[in-house]
Amino acid sequence: MSDIQTYLDAHFAEALDDLKAFCRIPSVSTDPAFADGIADAADFVAERLKRAGFSAVELLVTGGHPAVFGEIVTDAALPTFLVYGHYDVQPSDPLEKWKTPPFEPDERDGRLYARGVSDDKGPLLIPILVAEAFMKTAGQLPVNLKVLIEGEEESGSPHFEATLQTYADRLACDLVISADGAMWRPDRPSITVASRGLVALEITIEGASKDLHSGRHGGSAPNPIGALASLLASLHGGDGRVSVDGFLDGTSPPDPTIIAAIEAADFDADAYYREIGSSKPDPIKSGRELLIRQWLEPTLEFNGISGGYQGKGTKTVIPSSASAKITCRLIAGQRPEHLIAVITRHLKARLPPGFTLDIHQHGPGSEAFFVDPKLPALEVAEAVLTELLGQKPLRVAMGATIPIGASFRKHLGKEAIFFSFSTSDEDYHAPNEFFRLANFRIGLTAWAMLLTRLGAAGA
Amino acid sequence: MSDIQTYLDAHFAEALDDLKAFCRIPSVSTDPAFADGIADAADFVAERLKRAGFSAVELLVTGGHPAVFGEIVTDAALPTFLVYGHYDVQPSDPLEKWKTPPFEPDERDGRLYARGVSDDKGPLLIPILVAEAFMKTAGQLPVNLKVLIEGEEESGSPHFEATLQTYADRLACDLVISADGAMWRPDRPSITVASRGLVALEITIEGASKDLHSGRHGGSAPNPIGALASLLASLHGGDGRVSVDGFLDGTSPPDPTIIAAIEAADFDADAYYREIGSSKPDPIKSGRELLIRQWLEPTLEFNGISGGYQGKGTKTVIPSSASAKITCRLIAGQRPEHLIAVITRHLKARLPPGFTLDIHQHGPGSEAFFVDPKLPALEVAEAVLTELLGQKPLRVAMGATIPIGASFRKHLGKEAIFFSFSTSDEDYHAPNEFFRLANFRIGLTAWAMLLTRLGAAGA
């Protein structure tokens, strides 16, 4: 380990340059305007893998954006680990809220600011750099290592399951280690053992076939913004929970071990609302309730709404249509297709006469995921973090979605653990995303320790 | 009259070229990006007035976009009429729905298509062209004529009242004749004797101080789109009417003579919904009820809504804010400032904890207007239309707002009549606005007859 650490320290400046170069590539996966950025980012990963000493590097055809594969085969007697990450990033709007441009990485106050630096370019680069360090020092890895870096995570990974199916033989492994999936808080080591699923949809209401003058037609023509507002308002109850019949079908009461972790966390709700800059909503009574809602309850959140005139000033128009983007976070037992069905039924039953309703699902969605709490690799990872950070990490759930756990289990028959060094306060779906450079360093050491111990322990 | 008609016929092609040149100028008043178009349109009107023989032509300073003034003094013994119009136009978005570009006038099927051609560039050009025809043929007008063409009508005329006050001496007249204010239907001559008032506002809801990841924060962070939807949904009752306490303060039951006109019109509600391309909303039971709602009841319409991610695909964000643009149409007795007060009270009382609310009023608003039914000039105008169109025009109300009537009465102490040759189906606040060229011709003849007869009758 000391050779590795010496190598990593000596080459940290180069590692940082690599990360900046990666972040200069605008690899937004949801917007076709960024097709070049996606292609460039996939090429960047492939080239970086080759340079690190990976073989069989290839852009896997997926039906959408390519996934990048590479492997280092050390010894058939050693266990094989498959590292997961994603090279695509969130859209960067609202652009005007960025202090420095999203695709021009800027280092300040011990942080690197750029779209995608925390989610997931920084975290995924770490295991590649660590593999290179092993190759340059020991000439080999302590394990067999494969990597699979996809390009559609921020679009709901629409082709990921098919990709796992198609390439199941090449991806065969003993365990998946995800470099995606942030630590919970900057001040408390944690390891993520559960994540919520995701369903994304867009609903569009149409009234008249064209925009109408709101003076001439006001009071007689159907107004789709009004109908949309009523439909959206019907989706939650006064307690802030989803009020769609059938939404909780298939779910069970929360896992008591996670509830116990929540109670141990002694979470400060007031501090949370200070941190996000809002006053406290009515239904949230305590930090305990807040974390239960974030980690263990499903949601239906409005991500965007649009209709009619949105420029400066005023325009006296009744628009012909209005639409809203929605994502739901799923807990164990909820199936994406069932949620779409019950939401559709709810909205159709409430659609007033004079309007048409279109419901479009973005991507297939994904179910919630739980790591097997008895997995030996989970204990190895915990031991590494305990040693490195000075306290035993909390086993936490996360509100966000990492659908890959369920997908790997389904298609490769293997478990996955999350071993990431981003932190969930790093604004990774907001302006001014950043990655703590101290965690970039710690992550390099931690991955080197993890691979060493997993190799010593066997699969 | 026959000399005038001969002149108008002989110069119709030039008149049409003038209108096209006018429509090429993108004079959108609500958007500062079109400042050049506003300046160019004001200059165009001033130059056209000078060429027609007007004197004292001047761009009046208003505090906002200039108003264009000009006059032809014929004889102090003759009555003086002040023509009103506006050179500014509505925004042209959604641009992708225009068959030909909004500021490249296109003649097809006996119509001229362009933003502003019907509202109000075509109608306002008519009296200027008619004045020129009198000057070129008889060498003088049968009346004294002043014109006042403003540049902020589509922005709610924020400086118009102050302008009337400042320039009251120069604008002194016996009667105002508005070239703005469309005929009701293409198949039925009408003269507008009432219009609804207008109040425009924008409401903005803020939750957290920045956009948040909807996975990590979903279920715990306030979602301003949800709060906005609930507030908007609370503004109307099940019958589609405004449900804000105090909204009807000061109003009286509808004028029975307008109700009688509505009953005479025998309006076909089914045909109306076919025409606008929607199915019939629940609360509207008949054509009579539809027209009562359009003409005689106040409204609160949503003109635009926006918040969060509006690009393609999906973005898992909880936005920090969401906003909606609203306009109300007022009936007699409603005061703009009182409506803002009761709407503000309604929204504040319903704002959930966790959010802040900002209410911004666009422009001062305007009260509803009714023409004095006994005005002699109204009967002259009706006689001209009856003679020219073969049937007596209906006296109709209009849902849209022409605030100038009330303003002229207040600041100049004079009545106003509406004498316009646009028709309210000409999509003037929507894509593909057009003006019927047959009505451009009829309008020229009608204005020549009107001025001749008003001159003969005295003020």
Side-chain angles (χ1 to χ4, degrees):
Chain A
M1 264 306 291
S2 70
D3 284 355
I4 292 283
Q5 189 59 53
T6 305
Y7 181 92
L8 290 171
D9 287 342
H11 293 82
F12 186 72
E14 291 157 51
L16 189 54
D17 285 344
D18 279 338
L19 178 55
K20 288 178 184 172
F22 197 10
C23 291
R24 278 188 202 101
I25 306 172
S27 49
V28 178
S29 58
T30 60
D31 187 342
F34 290 87
D36 286 352
I38 285 288
D40 291 348
D43 288 343
F44 178 95
V45 174
E47 287 309 309
R48 196 65 195 78
L49 285 172
K50 284 180 197 164
R51 191 143 60 87
F54 282 79
S55 57
V57 173
E58 190 181 331
L59 303 194
L60 303 183
V61 174
T62 67
H65 303 322
V68 189
F69 176 80
E71 65 181 343
I72 296 176
V73 182
T74 310
D75 181 338
L78 289 168
T80 300
F81 298 96
L82 174 62
V83 172
Y84 166 83
H86 64 89
Y87 64 80
D88 65 320
V89 303
Q90 280 278 310
S92 54
D93 64 290
L95 261 182
E96 70 278 9
K97 294 198 174 170
W98 284 78
K99 284 179 192 146
T100 52
F103 298 110
E104 295 175 24
D106 189 60
E107 198 181 329
R108 49 185 197 267
D109 306 326
R111 299 165 165 194
L112 189 64
Y113 285 84
R115 168 52 81 229
V117 66
S118 168
D119 183 15
D120 177 43
K121 287 177 172 176
L124 82 82
L125 205 54
I126 291 174
I128 299 173
L129 294 167
V130 166
E132 183 176 55
F134 275 111
M135 297 303 278
K136 297 276 186 183
T137 52
Q140 64 172 23
L141 294 192
V143 296
N144 300 310
L145 199 65
K146 297 179 179 183
V147 300
L148 179 69
I149 311 296
E150 71 151 320
E152 302 188 313
E153 201 275 342
E154 301 296 359
S155 303
S157 300
H159 304 93
F160 191 67
E161 299 231 347
T163 302
L164 293 186
Q165 229 171 342
T166 306
Y167 300 99
D169 288 349
R170 288 169 75 179
L171 299 172
C173 62
D174 296 293
L175 181 79
V176 175
I177 311 175
S178 174
D180 191 25
M183 285 220 195
W184 178 40
R185 295 187 70 82
D187 56 353
R188 184 124 199 188
S190 64
I191 193 155
T192 303
V193 298
S195 74
R196 294 191 288 194
L198 178 70
V199 157
L201 62 153
E202 185 153 359
I203 68 175
T204 303
I205 306 284
E206 299 212 353
S209 58
K210 59 187 175 185
D211 289 358
L212 299 171
H213 187 289
S214 67
R216 184 187 173 209
H217 296 277
S220 55
N223 190 318
I225 296 176
L228 180 63
S230 295
L231 289 183
L232 298 190
S234 76
L235 291 166
H236 295 92
D239 62 355
R241 292 190 169 88
V242 181
S243 59
V244 173
D245 266 357
F247 196 75
L248 293 176
D249 287 353
T251 63
S252 312
D255 180 343
T257 66
I258 308 264
I259 297 271
I262 285 173
E263 282 163 358
D266 192 21
F267 190 72
D268 181 346
D270 292 331
Y272 171 82
Y273 289 107
R274 275 199 304 277
E275 192 183 308
I276 69 168
S278 85
S279 54
K280 192 157 137 181
D282 224 13
I284 309 280
K285 304 291 180 212
S286 64
R288 179 181 184 277
E289 178 170 354
L290 191 156
L291 283 191
I292 288 176
R293 287 191 182 227
Q294 252 191 21
W295 293 2
L296 300 175
E297 292 190 12
T299 68
L300 185 156
E301 291 287 354
F302 308 121
N303 309 117
I305 191 164
S306 73
Y309 181 64
Q310 302 184 25
K312 285 187 184 160
T314 178
K315 185 181 178 192
T316 50
V317 66
I318 298 176
S320 60
S321 70
S323 64
K325 292 179 193 280
I326 293 174
T327 47
C328 298
R329 298 288 163 167
L330 282 55
I331 59 169
Q334 288 182 305
R335 288 180 303 107
E337 60 277 16
H338 182 68
L339 285 200
I340 294 289
V342 297
I343 293 167
T344 300
R345 183 178 65 192
H346 176 100
L347 294 175
K348 281 193 173 161
R350 285 158 181 81
L351 184 72
F355 300 93
T356 59
L357 167 69
D358 176 72
I359 300 176
H360 174 75
Q361 187 178 355
H362 291 293
S366 55
E367 297 185 19
F369 178 68
F370 282 84
V371 179
D372 171 5
K374 299 197 169 48
L375 199 68
L378 189 60
E379 288 175 16
V380 174
E382 282 178 326
V384 167
L385 292 178
T386 305
E387 196 172 322
L388 209 51
L389 302 173
Q391 62 181 303
K392 190 170 193 308
L394 271 181
R395 288 190 179 194
V396 300
M398 72 186 296
T401 299
I402 307 186
I404 54 108
S407 302
F408 283 115
R409 184 180 285 162
K410 184 170 167 189
H411 296 286
L412 305 185
K414 298 297 171 184
E415 296 291 308
I417 64 168
F418 298 109
F419 201 67
S420 172
F421 289 84
S422 62
T423 314
S424 58
D425 68 341
E426 291 176 337
D427 287 332
Y428 40 71
H429 285 206
N432 305 305
E433 177 174 352
F434 66 93
F435 185 40
R436 288 181 174 84
L437 294 179
N439 289 351
F440 191 35
R441 271 187 194 276
I442 290 171
L444 290 163
T445 303
W447 270 87
M449 289 170 70
L450 180 73
L451 295 183
T452 302
R453 295 190 189 185
L454 286 174
Chain B
M1 266 305 290
S2 69
D3 284 356
I4 293 284
Q5 188 61 52
T6 305
Y7 180 91
L8 290 170
D9 287 343
H11 294 81
F12 186 73
E14 291 156 52
L16 189 54
D17 285 345
D18 279 337
L19 179 54
K20 287 177 184 172
F22 197 10
C23 290
R24 277 186 203 104
I25 305 172
S27 49
V28 178
S29 59
T30 59
D31 187 342
F34 290 88
D36 287 352
I38 283 289
D40 290 349
D43 288 342
F44 178 94
V45 173
E47 287 309 309
R48 194 64 194 81
L49 284 172
K50 285 180 197 164
R51 190 144 61 85
F54 282 80
S55 57
V57 173
E58 189 181 333
L59 303 194
L60 303 183
V61 173
T62 68
H65 304 321
V68 189
F69 176 79
E71 65 181 342
I72 296 176
V73 181
T74 310
D75 182 339
L78 288 169
T80 299
F81 298 97
L82 174 63
V83 172
Y84 167 83
H86 64 90
Y87 64 80
D88 65 317
V89 303
Q90 280 278 310
S92 53
D93 64 288
L95 261 181
E96 69 279 8
K97 293 199 174 170
W98 285 78
K99 284 180 191 143
T100 53
F103 299 110
E104 295 174 24
D106 190 60
E107 199 181 330
R108 47 184 198 269
D109 307 326
R111 300 166 165 194
L112 188 64
Y113 285 84
R115 168 52 81 228
V117 65
S118 168
D119 182 16
D120 176 42
K121 288 178 173 175
L124 84 84
L125 204 53
I126 291 174
I128 300 173
L129 295 167
V130 166
E132 181 175 57
F134 275 111
M135 298 303 279
K136 298 277 185 184
T137 52
Q140 63 171 25
L141 295 192
V143 295
N144 301 309
L145 200 64
K146 296 179 179 181
V147 300
L148 179 68
I149 310 297
E150 70 152 319
E152 301 189 313
E153 201 274 342
E154 301 296 1
S155 303
S157 300
H159 304 92
F160 192 66
E161 299 231 348
T163 302
L164 293 186
Q165 229 172 340
T166 305
Y167 300 99
D169 288 349
R170 289 168 77 177
L171 299 172
C173 62
D174 297 295
L175 183 79
V176 176
I177 311 176
S178 173
D180 191 26
M183 286 221 195
W184 179 40
R185 295 185 70 80
D187 57 353
R188 185 125 200 187
S190 63
I191 193 156
T192 303
V193 298
S195 73
R196 294 192 287 194
L198 178 69
V199 157
L201 63 152
E202 185 153 359
I203 67 175
T204 304
I205 307 283
E206 299 212 353
S209 58
K210 59 187 176 184
D211 290 357
L212 300 171
H213 187 290
S214 68
R216 183 186 173 209
H217 296 277
S220 56
N223 190 317
I225 296 176
L228 180 63
S230 294
L231 288 183
L232 298 189
S234 76
L235 291 165
H236 295 92
D239 63 356
R241 291 189 170 89
V242 181
S243 59
V244 173
D245 266 357
F247 197 74
L248 293 176
D249 287 353
T251 62
S252 312
D255 181 344
T257 66
I258 308 263
I259 297 272
I262 285 173
E263 281 163 358
D266 193 22
F267 190 73
D268 182 346
D270 291 331
Y272 170 83
Y273 289 107
R274 275 198 304 277
E275 194 182 305
I276 68 168
S278 84
S279 54
K280 193 158 135 182
D282 226 11
I284 310 280
K285 303 290 181 212
S286 65
R288 179 181 183 278
E289 177 170 354
L290 190 156
L291 282 192
I292 288 176
R293 287 190 182 227
Q294 252 190 22
W295 292 2
L296 301 174
E297 293 189 11
T299 67
L300 186 158
E301 290 288 355
F302 309 120
N303 309 118
I305 191 164
S306 73
Y309 182 64
Q310 301 184 26
K312 286 188 185 160
T314 179
K315 184 181 177 190
T316 49
V317 67
I318 297 176
S320 60
S321 71
S323 63
K325 292 178 193 282
I326 292 175
T327 47
C328 298
R329 299 289 164 167
L330 282 54
I331 58 168
Q334 289 182 304
R335 288 181 302 107
E337 59 280 14
H338 181 68
L339 287 199
I340 294 289
V342 297
I343 293 167
T344 301
R345 184 178 64 191
H346 177 101
L347 294 175
K348 280 192 174 162
R350 285 159 181 80
L351 184 71
F355 300 94
T356 60
L357 166 69
D358 176 72
I359 300 177
H360 174 75
Q361 186 178 356
H362 291 294
S366 56
E367 297 186 17
F369 178 67
F370 282 84
V371 178
D372 171 4
K374 299 196 169 49
L375 198 69
L378 189 60
E379 288 174 15
V380 174
E382 282 178 324
V384 167
L385 292 178
T386 305
E387 195 172 321
L388 209 53
L389 302 173
Q391 61 180 307
K392 190 169 192 309
L394 271 181
R395 287 189 177 194
V396 300
M398 71 187 296
T401 299
I402 308 188
I404 55 110
S407 303
F408 283 116
R409 183 179 286 161
K410 182 169 169 191
H411 295 286
L412 305 185
K414 299 297 170 183
E415 297 290 307
I417 63 167
F418 298 109
F419 201 66
S420 172
F421 290 84
S422 64
T423 314
S424 58
D425 68 341
E426 291 175 338
D427 287 331
Y428 41 70
H429 285 206
N432 305 304
E433 177 175 352
F434 66 94
F435 186 40
R436 288 179 174 84
L437 294 179
N439 290 351
F440 191 35
R441 272 186 194 277
I442 289 170
L444 290 164
T445 304
W447 270 86
M449 289 170 70
L450 180 73
L451 295 183
T452 301
R453 294 190 189 184
L454 287 174

